[in-house]
Amino acid sequence: MPWWGKTSSKEDKKKTNGSIIDAIHRKFKIASEEKDNSRSGGSWRRGSDTVSERGSISRVPSRSPSPSTHVSRCQSFAERPHAQPLPLPGARHAGIGRCNSGISASIRPRLDGGLKPLDLPLPKPGCGPNRLGHAYTEGDIATASVSSASSTDSDYPSDSRILSPLTSDYENGNRTATNSPSSMKHKDQSHIFSPKYSKEILKPADFSLNNQIPSTSPRRAPLSTHVQNMQIPHRGALYSAPDSSLSSPSRSPMRAFGPEQAINCGLWAGLGSGHCSSPGSGYNSGHNSIGGEMSGQLFWPNSRCSPECSPIPSPRMTSPGPGSRIHSGAVTPLHPRAGGASMESPTSRPDDGKQQSHKLPLPPITISNTCPFSPAYSTATSPSVPRSPNRADNPTSPGSRWKKGRLLGRGTFGHVYLGFNSESGEMCAMKEVTLFADDPKSKESAQQLGQEIALLSRLWHPNIVQYYGSETVDDKLYIYLEYVSGGSIYKLLQEYGQFGEIGIRSYTQQILSGLAYLHAKNTVHRDIKGANILVDPSGRVKLADFGMAKHITGQSCPLSFKGSPYWMAPEVITKSNGCNLAVDIWSLGCTVLEMATSKPPWSQYEGVAAMFKIGNSKELPAIPDNFSDEGKDFVRQCLQRDPSHRPTAAQLLEHPFVKNAAPLEKPILVAEPSEAMPMVMNAGRSMGIGHARNIAGFDLEGFAIHQSQGSKTAGSSEIHTPKNASCPVSPIESPLLHSRSPQHMSGRLSPSPISSPHTQSGASTPHTGGNGAIPFHHAMQPTTYLQESMGMIPRSHNILYANSNNPYQDPKPDFFRGMSQPSHVFRELISSDNSSLENQFGRPGYADPREQYNRQPVLADRVSQQLLRDHGKLKPSLDLNPTFSMLGRTNGI
Ligand SMILES: Nc1ncnc2c1ncn2[C@@H]1O[C@H](COP(=O)(O)OP(=O)(O)OP(=O)(O)O)[C@@H](O)[C@H]1O
């Protein structure tokens, strides 16, 4: 019986969702045809045919009201300087090249070309018609946008496919004595990478539509009803952000689609509570997420381009959502730049960039990426530039002001800008989200962001983008993050083509390290893909975009239809399993293939068909022929359809593919904890004055960090600047600081290339001893040199993250102190809840640290609600609450 037979047997559902099921049938038929065509090498040509057959997707012509932007986009792509092929490194592993099957002919040139970016198919000047393969018109993309009326974090509340205790235990990565033998068998390292584990257990997919929830969201009223002086999005358009069935036409004007498109949308919205939107929005970060809060990419456009590579991003191509209001020109009187033209040119600085500065939480001090894990995390390439002590004790100095700089990227919720402190020279990434108090979508966005903040604030790992703090300014919420200047893997792939295997190994290892850490906290990212993985100039990889991340609490995590189609695990599509950590492993496997081919697996199919393929097909995606055996096995391990058969992240760290990843040629200095700790602790005190985040709240590799809790107000803290602390500056990250350098030999290192201009002593960091040179402490102290793969934390650290029996031993999260200065929102949260901050989040009082996480959704909800309440209070008068200096700061303050 075909898979749809199961569904069609449910008469009631059939009656209710007849049109949807028909759509499914059509889609699946198309998928099957495409599968056949793919095998015959004609998928792209056929793609065009089937597109027209689909009707609902393809019949909508491109109706871009902004042809100029379209042209610009194409031009930007065509004119983009091509990456020049470089001599291949002395690879120990074979390069990545051709796929033997499964990848359509249209992308084979890339694979054939190996590392020749020039082989990338380029669009013709006309651009639009030259979409390879599926002949996706803009309308194709736009009409694939769907959204649901579900709530933001719309996990299926009644889904019965929750993790079994065994599965949950396994997937949680906890390999403790409590694990059952049956669960342990999958964790046996001696077996996990044996060939038999590569064999999938193939089961018919369950495409149950029980939870189909056609989009029913009422169309929202024009924004003009509650927001003055705003450019009003077209009323009939679809809003795609969190859970509305509508999306902004200003983002994607072609989303105004007809009933047929709605059917398709309903189909996928019905598969889960999430929704898809802006599928081809390569102009936002290549994301394409589906979820209560995310947009979804249902296509893999062949000529897509990210904002990072397009100097003139098209508003039409951006992901909708609350951020779309910004992007679409929905400009508030207070922030004309927020959605103005300046955003259209990420290469240009906003006009008033120098005028608008914010008293923001200071970026984390040096410890953020240095001491706790490895001193390898350099100030040279990290925004975590050591903060000058004079800034720490004078938070109201001009040095604490940040200025919003150029656009780094666009996301579902808003825009991400470079933040620069011209006083200190420090940088951060500012995610700016506009909140509309009376907008249900804003509410959902705020809820989602609150959850993301709550989660991010508890994460502390060199392979996870660091959260610095957040605040509301007028009607905007700013989230301050570590600035990772290299952009995303997606962007790099777009610009330079597929990666070599050495790089893939290294990146994969780092991703795994971050995942192992995350999973050890029972937290699933749910949107692992190239666009959400940032790379710094030294090749360090950092997981980003935790908007879909979720903490799994025991067995109560129901399935969510969230993720990005091409990277989405089968069980997510088929709802054959509950929310589990293994979905990230599947996505990782897809990301490895993405890095190897510059496209995710199944990209030869448009998104809906791809999802059918992923969910129903027993095939594995093609793996490049010249991928090493280790690489092939790694991918196969990840892409096992049965999630319980997938190794954990910790186990995969032992896989030869990543275990043998090329080490850095730079040594890593591991400072003595006894030496590092004072710095960390003092740093915590510094941050305790209300600037940045709470040190004590983070996992510091098992270090027992005790933050001084006595002073939370500016200027009241002691600032201890340890002399000759060795942690702040890494000897390995700076280009100037190679292991073979004389400085190393002599025990002194060159100052960081990004030394703080405001270091009192003139040294490159507060800890340099004042002479501009970094005391090479390990020359005098017991030291450990490690060969580390691309800046990864030492292996032992990985083990610590992954195998800790008690991954919650160290978080002690203090969410609110993560704020620059506890924002009005969060202060109100504290007071209104009539409970202390400590009692709520992570302070002593929880016997089980997990309780902290269990309360996280509550926190997120409160945060989001308060964000909106706060905004609602501020909105009428736009007055600032004098009590909270960080709020409502206007430009120039
Ligand atoms: N910390 C950072 N450093 C540098 N660039 C960043 C950083 N965070 C985000 N960006 C840029 O901004 C883009 C959008 O950011 P992000 O994906 O976090 O937004 P989002 O709203 O969460 O997106 P999504 O729709 O995927 O949820 C990224 O693709 C990247 O180009």
Side-chain angles (χ1 to χ4, degrees):
M1 176 182 294
W3 63 267
W4 57 82
K6 301 175 184 176
T7 303
S8 61
S9 65
K10 301 174 181 179
E11 290 303 322
D12 51 341
K13 291 293 178 183
K14 185 174 182 179
K15 292 175 182 177
T16 304
N17 302 307
S19 59
I20 297 176
I21 294 174
D22 290 342
I24 298 173
H25 292 175
R26 288 200 305 274
K27 290 299 176 185
F28 185 68
K29 181 180 179 182
I30 292 166
S32 300
E33 290 174 353
E34 290 190 347
K35 169 184 170 183
D36 297 337
N37 293 332
S38 174
R39 288 173 175 170
S40 63
S43 62
W44 292 114
R45 182 183 57 79
R46 291 280 301 185
S48 301
D49 298 336
T50 55
V51 162
S52 60
E53 185 180 333
R54 288 168 202 139
S56 61
I57 292 178
S58 63
R59 289 171 194 163
V60 178
S62 176
R63 286 181 287 168
S64 170
S66 178
S68 59
T69 56
H70 192 171
V71 170
S72 298
R73 173 171 172 253
C74 300
Q75 287 174 338
S76 69
F77 187 91
E79 294 168 359
R80 194 175 65 206
H82 305 307
Q84 298 300 315
L86 299 176
L88 288 173
R92 296 176 303 168
H93 310 288
I96 297 169
R98 183 189 303 272
C99 297
N100 54 355
S101 65
I103 294 184
S104 67
S106 64
I107 63 173
R108 278 185 175 157
R110 293 193 185 192
L111 301 175
D112 293 341
L115 296 176
K116 298 177 182 177
L118 290 177
D119 288 341
L120 292 171
L122 293 175
K124 296 177 181 178
C127 189
N130 198 35
R131 294 285 185 87
L132 297 178
H134 305 290
Y136 298 143
T137 65
E138 299 296 343
D140 295 335
I141 297 173
T143 53
S145 302
V146 295
S147 59
S148 76
S150 55
S151 63
T152 300
D153 191 23
S154 47
D155 294 322
Y156 292 104
S158 59
D159 195 294
S160 60
R161 298 183 192 87
I162 59 177
L163 292 175
S164 67
L166 186 152
T167 304
S168 177
D169 180 63
Y170 167 78
E171 288 165 346
N172 290 346
N174 298 328
R175 284 165 297 285
T176 65
T178 59
N179 288 339
S180 68
S182 58
S183 64
M184 289 299 292
K185 70 180 180 181
H186 295 304
K187 305 167 187 174
D188 187 341
Q189 296 294 335
S190 64
H191 298 301
I192 198 67
F193 300 122
S194 63
K196 70 177 181 178
Y197 277 88
S198 296
K199 187 175 183 179
E200 293 182 276
I201 295 181
L202 304 174
K203 297 187 294 188
D206 174 14
F207 274 86
S208 168
L209 299 178
N210 290 342
N211 287 316
Q212 283 193 3
I213 306 173
S215 177
T216 56
S217 257
R219 299 191 176 203
R220 51 176 297 176
L223 294 176
S224 58
T225 59
H226 50 268
V227 179
Q228 299 297 323
N229 298 327
M230 295 194 61
Q231 297 181 18
I232 308 304
H234 187 274
R235 179 167 179 163
L238 293 176
Y239 296 100
S240 64
D243 65 340
S244 168
S245 61
L246 308 176
S247 68
S248 167
S250 54
R251 284 251 168 160
S252 181
M254 291 164 294
R255 284 198 194 102
F257 55 74
E260 287 179 313
Q261 287 80 10
I263 289 174
N264 285 324
C265 297
L267 160 64
W268 295 110
L271 282 174
S273 57
H275 53 266
C276 323
S277 69
S278 188
S281 59
Y283 279 90
N284 56 11
S285 47
H287 14 235
N288 339 324
S289 309
I290 291 177
E293 63 290 323
M294 293 295 154
S295 62
Q297 176 191 349
L298 294 181
F299 300 90
W300 183 256
N302 294 279
S303 59
R304 59 185 298 173
C305 192
S306 74
E308 298 137 326
C309 64
S310 169
I312 310 177
S314 165
R316 180 174 46 80
M317 295 300 294
T318 60
S319 177
S324 68
R325 284 183 287 260
I326 302 173
H327 179 62
S328 63
V331 183
T332 69
L334 292 178
H335 297 274
R337 187 163 52 87
S342 63
M343 290 182 188
E344 305 310 310
S345 177
T347 58
S348 64
R349 179 179 285 271
D351 295 336
D352 60 344
K354 293 183 179 180
Q355 297 175 354
Q356 181 173 357
S357 62
H358 306 276
K359 294 256 184 195
L360 303 182
L362 293 174
I365 58 175
T366 311
I367 64 165
S368 64
N369 267 340
T370 54
C371 288
F373 311 101
S374 163
Y377 295 95
S378 167
T379 57
T381 56
S382 166
S384 309
V385 179
R387 197 167 58 214
S388 303
N390 57 330
R391 284 206 312 113
D393 60 1
N394 183 18
T396 57
S397 71
S400 64
R401 292 177 183 172
W402 293 81
K403 296 177 179 177
K404 189 166 73 177
R406 65 181 174 89
L407 180 69
L408 297 175
R410 288 174 242 260
T412 301
F413 297 122
H415 298 70
V416 180
Y417 297 92
L418 178 65
F420 183 68
N421 186 325
S422 56
E423 183 74 12
S424 68
E426 296 165 320
M427 300 179 185
C428 74
M430 304 167 55
K431 182 179 284 190
E432 180 189 73
V433 181
T434 301
L435 300 172
F436 297 86
D438 52 354
D439 179 5
K441 287 188 60 61
S442 275
K443 181 180 179 181
E444 295 164 5
S445 299
Q447 181 185 24
Q448 195 68 36
L449 288 165
Q451 181 164 320
E452 182 175 0
I453 290 170
L455 194 150
L456 261 178
S457 67
R458 290 164 170 78
L459 302 179
W460 186 268
H461 190 275
N463 295 119
I464 293 177
V465 68
Q466 189 62 55
Y467 167 79
Y468 292 170
S470 60
E471 66 173 342
T472 54
V473 178
D474 300 328
D475 60 346
K476 288 182 170 56
L477 168 66
Y478 288 90
I479 302 176
Y480 305 106
L481 301 166
E482 174 185 9
Y483 171 50
V484 187
S485 60
S488 66
I489 285 178
Y490 165 80
K491 187 204 81 168
L492 295 173
L493 289 169
Q494 292 294 306
E495 292 188 355
Y496 304 104
Q498 65 259 31
F499 301 162
E501 186 167 329
I502 292 177
I504 295 174
R505 287 176 183 247
S506 172
Y507 283 13
T508 303
Q509 185 199 46
Q510 296 180 67
I511 297 167
L512 271 174
S513 181
L515 282 180
Y517 168 81
L518 198 64
H519 290 182
K521 293 178 172 296
N522 271 358
T523 301
V524 58
H525 186 283
R526 296 200 290 185
D527 202 14
I528 294 294
K529 59 179 178 180
N532 288 336
I533 301 168
L534 304 177
V535 186
D536 78 4
S538 67
R540 179 168 299 107
V541 160
K542 294 175 183 289
L543 305 182
D545 194 355
F546 284 75
M548 290 193 187
K550 186 175 182 62
H551 180 243
I552 299 175
T553 54
Q555 305 170 33
S556 61
C557 181
L559 176 72
S560 286
F561 186 67
K562 294 185 176 182
S564 300
Y566 295 103
W567 296 261
M568 195 177 285
E571 67 269 21
V572 177
I573 296 174
T574 63
K575 299 188 298 178
S576 57
N577 205 327
C579 176
N580 62 85
L581 302 174
V583 302
D584 285 343
I585 302 300
W586 175 278
S587 299
L588 173 64
C590 296
T591 304
V592 171
L593 290 178
E594 180 188 5
M595 290 190 283
T597 66
S598 75
K599 293 171 182 284
W602 295 286
S603 61
Q604 66 268 36
Y605 303 103
E606 52 91 3
V608 175
M611 294 175 72
F612 275 98
K613 200 78 173 176
I614 296 167
N616 192 55
S617 170
K618 298 178 180 179
E619 299 175 9
L620 276 179
I623 302 175
D625 269 351
N626 58 353
F627 219 34
S628 68
D629 290 341
E630 292 173 345
K632 290 175 181 172
D633 183 70
F634 183 92
V635 171
R636 292 185 187 116
Q637 294 286 340
C638 295
L639 298 185
Q640 296 188 81
R641 293 186 175 275
D642 186 337
S644 67
H645 287 185
R646 290 173 214 149
T648 65
Q651 290 169 334
L652 283 172
L653 279 169
E654 298 300 319
H655 192 285
F657 180 64
V658 294
K659 194 171 186 178
N660 298 333
L664 285 178
E665 293 184 357
K666 306 166 188 175
I668 287 180
L669 168 65
V670 177
E672 276 281 286
S674 59
E675 180 177 302
M677 283 301 299
M679 195 286 299
V680 174
M681 295 176 66
N682 286 312
R685 292 190 188 104
S686 299
M687 294 176 25
I689 63 174
H691 276 296
R693 54 178 308 142
N694 171 32
I695 301 301
F698 303 112
D699 299 329
L700 299 179
E701 293 256 340
F703 292 161
I705 305 302
H706 303 286
Q707 177 178 351
S708 168
Q709 301 178 26
S711 302
K712 294 184 180 179
T713 55
S716 61
S717 257
E718 294 180 53
I719 304 301
H720 298 279
T721 304
K723 301 293 183 182
N724 300 326
S726 63
C727 287
V729 176
S730 163
I732 75 159
E733 284 302 311
S734 167
L736 306 177
L737 306 178
H738 290 274
S739 60
R740 304 185 187 89
S741 68
Q743 289 89 343
H744 273 80
M745 300 307 295
S746 64
R748 302 191 75 79
L749 304 176
S750 300
S752 164
I754 312 181
S755 57
S756 168
H758 297 280
T759 305
Q760 285 177 326
S761 63
S764 60
T765 76
H767 311 289
T768 57
N771 59 1
I774 310 300
F776 198 40
H777 251 254
H778 52 279
M780 299 174 287
Q781 302 282 346
T783 59
T784 302
Y785 290 90
L786 299 176
Q787 289 295 319
E788 186 179 39
S789 296
M790 294 296 287
M792 278 302 303
I793 59 175
R795 184 75 59 189
S796 59
H797 293 177
N798 289 339
I799 294 171
L800 174 62
Y801 289 135
N803 297 335
S804 169
N805 289 336
N806 182 10
Y808 301 92
Q809 58 188 345
D810 51 352
K812 302 180 184 67
D814 184 346
F815 176 57
F816 293 102
R817 281 202 284 160
M819 303 300 148
S820 57
Q821 288 187 9
S823 76
H824 177 64
V825 170
F826 300 108
R827 282 183 182 273
E828 285 201 3
L829 268 175
I830 299 171
S831 57
S832 64
D833 197 48
N834 200 26
S835 60
S836 70
L837 174 64
E838 287 73 15
N839 286 336
Q840 286 191 67
F841 305 106
R843 286 302 169 198
Y846 286 123
D848 181 2
R850 291 169 190 252
E851 182 67 16
Q852 299 162 1
Y853 286 86
N854 293 339
R855 294 181 65 101
Q856 181 172 308
V858 178
L859 165 64
D861 188 57
R862 287 174 181 163
V863 168
S864 59
Q865 292 178 20
Q866 187 58 44
L867 283 171
L868 291 168
R869 282 200 301 270
D870 176 70
H871 174 62
K873 293 173 184 175
L874 293 175
K875 194 69 180 177
S877 63
L878 298 175
D879 258 341
L880 311 180
N881 184 336
T883 306
F884 308 104
S885 59
M886 293 302 296
L887 283 175
R889 271 203 185 116
T890 55
N891 297 349
I893 293 179

